[in-house]
Amino acid sequence: MFPMSDNQKGFALISVIFIMLLMAVMVFSINYYSITQLRVASNHTAAVQVRYDLKAVVQSSIWQLTDNMFWRVSDGDAEDTYTFDKDTIDERTYHRIVGNASQFPHPPGFNPDDFADTVTIQVTPPGATQVFQRSFRYYIETLPDLSFSTPERISINPDGSLLIADSLNHRVIRVDPTDTSSPKILAGTGIAGGGYDYNTWFGIEWGGSLPMIDTPTAICADPSKPEDSYDYDYYIAESGGNRVSKLWWESQTVGYIETAAGDISGDVYNGDPEEDISARDAKLTSPEDVFVDASNQLYIADTGSFCIRKVDLGTSKITTFAGSLGSKGDIGDGGPATSAQFKSPGGIFMDAFGNLFIADSESYRIRKVDTSGNISTVAGNGFQGDTGDGGPATSARLRFPKDIFVDGNGNIFIADKQSNKIRVVSAVDGNIYTLAGTGGSGDTVSMPGAPLPAVKALLKDPSGIAMASAYGGARIYISDTSNDKIKVLKLRTVPEL
């Protein structure tokens, strides 16, 4: 190797220093870029978190609105804070204002009367200045046609399916509301008949047929299904047969049916005392509805006998629960239910607290028997009509309330048959509102891509109502009886607001 000159040594030293400086600049640049990216990522994470908060608000709004559609009050708004902890990793406290749509910022040309049924929720996430606002209302749809003929009451099976009394087809069916392509006919051949002894076997294989029933107006399931049972026990109000039948399936193709209450031959009540006797020895007159509670008690709206009967399913003994057997009237509020009188007790429903609600159709009232056995009126003033929206339910007029449902918050939903409306009594303020129907008789069908607000729909003699929970909001099912259809109300956001 040749020795380096002084000039060469100086050049090499400068080169090394330059390379070291260049490396230092590169390291600094990389670190600066990394820090910048971390800051960007942090900001992005914060932005995502804000969006996540707003999504949580949306979900919370929908679910809480499902729990209680009637937060709103007619003359003001409800303002409070709440902690939302559903599906989140930590609890956050939001500021929420709830009211009618007219109380919030709205588009130009907004007509509050067009959105009187709309609920608007305005939420401020924690630590944020931006306000999130969304409006909700019920829209109406029609379930696919299943060739109904005067469908009456609907109930919700414990598995979430719909139980429908298809009265003039003389059948009861179970259908998955998310897939109506495969309904199951539980009983009925299309011809009126029935009246079966204990444990009457039927099978639908090898040329067998379903059991006959006569003008069913209601069906419900016994919620206390044994673990080893194939299916639930079902109770069917056969208005045309003056009886209540019990039905259960042992397998997909084999089942049993028997008369649970009422005379097998279909004889009507004849005035004899019938307290604490076998339910099969009693005589019913056009029973319209049935309900089984968690204590194994069967309640029967014995419409033509003007009372509510109760059968202890453990002993099969029948008693009068409310009303005076065989006596028609409209008295008794404030006293024992067994001293009261009904004119036409139709739909019945028991809430989560054990209160039994009764649609007394010809008295134009909804009455309640509390857990102490006393009776009162919760809707209707005893005069026929269609008035009172926005005011006390007990001052309103009903035209012919046919069926009822009470949700977990105590809101009372009423299928008011002759007014062609679904009305609801708010548990918040005790006022009554129209949820669906204009009051006109008809069949308004929503078009694809253009959902129809429920309050703008035409119905025709709605006679059944039930509510089922669903992701994104409860769904309310209606028997639109004289249109031979089942319709559903779905909670959705309002695109105009």
Side-chain angles (χ1 to χ4, degrees), residues 202-444:
F202 66 87
I204 57 175
E205 289 184 327
W206 309 296
S209 64
L210 291 164
M212 299 170 69
I213 53 179
D214 191 349
T215 322
T217 51
I219 175 175
C220 73
D222 183 346
S224 57
K225 172 187 173 184
E227 291 185 4
D228 58 348
S229 296
Y230 172 77
D231 198 359
Y232 296 92
D233 291 345
Y234 298 106
Y235 290 87
I236 305 165
E238 296 183 51
S239 182
N242 301 307
R243 60 181 163 261
V244 172
S245 293
K246 176 185 177 182
L247 171 82
W248 66 102
W249 285 79
E250 190 176 69
S251 68
Q252 184 70 21
T253 57
V254 172
Y256 293 86
I257 189 170
E258 65 186 27
T259 299
D263 187 75
I264 290 180
S265 63
D267 290 343
V268 300
Y269 177 67
N270 58 12
D272 292 339
E274 293 187 351
E275 292 301 314
D276 204 28
I277 64 173
S278 170
R280 288 165 55 89
D281 292 332
K283 293 179 173 59
L284 308 179
T285 308
S286 303
E288 285 201 8
D289 204 1
V290 283
F291 188 94
V292 180
D293 70 10
S295 301
N296 214 28
Q297 305 295 308
L298 167 66
Y299 296 85
I300 303 169
D302 191 0
T303 307
S305 299
F306 318 116
C307 65
I308 307 300
R309 308 262 205 137
K310 183 174 77 169
V311 178
D312 185 325
L313 295 178
T315 64
S316 296
K317 293 297 181 69
I318 192 169
T319 56
T320 300
F321 176 78
S324 302
L325 181 61
S327 297
K328 184 177 183 177
D330 184 15
I331 60 172
D333 275 5
T338 49
S339 299
Q341 290 183 352
F342 297 102
K343 286 186 176 179
S344 181
I348 56 176
F349 189 87
M350 182 172 285
D351 69 11
F353 304 101
N355 303 301
L356 188 74
F357 292 79
I358 303 153
D360 193 4
S361 302
E362 290 184 16
S363 290
Y364 321 119
R365 300 177 188 264
I366 304 299
R367 305 176 80 177
K368 180 180 81 170
V369 180
D370 63 24
T371 54
S372 298
N374 293 321
I375 192 168
S376 60
T377 293
V378 294
N381 62 7
F383 294 94
Q384 188 176 32
D386 178 16
T387 62
D389 272 5
T394 50
S395 299
R397 293 190 177 195
L398 303 175
R399 196 167 291 281
F400 197 86
K402 187 73 170 176
D403 197 22
I404 47 175
F405 178 89
V406 184
D407 70 11
N409 288 287
N411 299 308
I412 306 167
F413 298 81
I414 306 167
D416 196 4
K417 178 179 178 179
Q418 291 184 8
S419 74
N420 300 306
K421 287 184 176 182
I422 303 300
R423 303 180 77 182
V424 62
V425 180
S426 168
V428 174
D429 55 18
N431 289 342
I432 194 167
Y433 303 91
T434 294
L435 191 66
T438 66
S441 177
D443 184 15
T444 306

Side-chain angles (χ1 to χ4, degrees), residues 55-65 71 82 84 96:
K55 181 180 179 182
V57 170
V58 175
Q59 292 176 343
S60 175
S61 298
I62 290 175
W63 279 107
Q64 294 200 33
L65 198 60
W71 277 332
Y82 72 102
F84 172 65
R96 178 188 66 197

